[in-house]
Amino acid sequence: MSCMTGYARSRMGLPRLVERAVLDRSARRKSLDIVRCDSFDHAACGRSFTYWIRRFGYPLDGCSRAAENIAWGSGSFATVRSIFSTWMRSPGHRANILGSGYRDLGVGLKIGTLDGNRGAHVWTQHFAAHC
């Protein structure tokens, strides 16, 4: 997923985002929350989308920026290519991927049962930049 994001950004003449371990951890925990609470939502388990980003120590203050993409699928709709293509066709998700205000990236994946669908692949991308 990181490679697809980097490729899309390079095609648009944008710099690659730096994959940060702290954002990988926050994105994985977000995907876990979605599965654990069976809630496909940016506020899964009643937490704001920045909850795990802050919890793992990424500095978000007054001039920082953060965004989140979430998606899920099963079977052939769970692949990196399928999920990424869906995001790129969505104006909001595409804007996050190609956002010039972000420098850092984290990616998470959790496989579990979501809304009764066993083997659901839940993907999360966290985008951020701090001052």
Side-chain angles (χ1 to χ4, degrees), residues 9 12 38 50 64 69 71 74 82-83 111 114 116 121:
R9 289 180 62 84
M12 299 301 291
D38 198 21
T50 60
S64 298
N69 285 349
S74 58
S82 176
I83 296 294
I111 301 170
L114 183 63
H121 289 59

Side-chain angles (χ1 to χ4, degrees), residues 18-34:
V18 177
E19 191 158 359
R20 302 283 182 197
V22 65
L23 292 176
D24 284 340
R25 287 192 300 273
S26 69
R28 280 194 303 270
R29 284 305 295 263
K30 177 55 172 270
S31 292
L32 177 62
D33 272 0
I34 290 170

Side-chain angles (χ1 to χ4, degrees), residues 29 31-39 45 47 52 113:
R29 284 305 295 263
S31 292
L32 177 62
D33 272 0
I34 290 170
V35 170
R36 188 174 56 83
C37 293
D38 198 21
S39 173
C45 301
R47 298 181 172 123
W52 288 113
T113 300

Side-chain angles (χ1 to χ4, degrees), residues 14 45 48 50 63 93 117:
L14 297 166
C45 301
S48 74
T50 60
C63 59
H93 295 100
N117 295 284

Side-chain angles (χ1 to χ4, degrees), residues 5 11 20 44 50-51 63 78 103 121-122:
T5 301
R11 296 263 315 181
R20 302 283 182 197
T50 60
Y51 176 83
C63 59
R103 291 189 309 258
H121 289 59
V122 178

Side-chain angles (χ1 to χ4, degrees), residues 23 26-27 30 49 53 67-68 104-107 124-128:
L23 292 176
S26 69
K30 177 55 172 270
F49 88 89
I53 296 170
E68 176 180 81
D104 301 325
L105 172 69
V107 176
T124 302
Q125 285 183 314
H126 280 163
F127 303 90

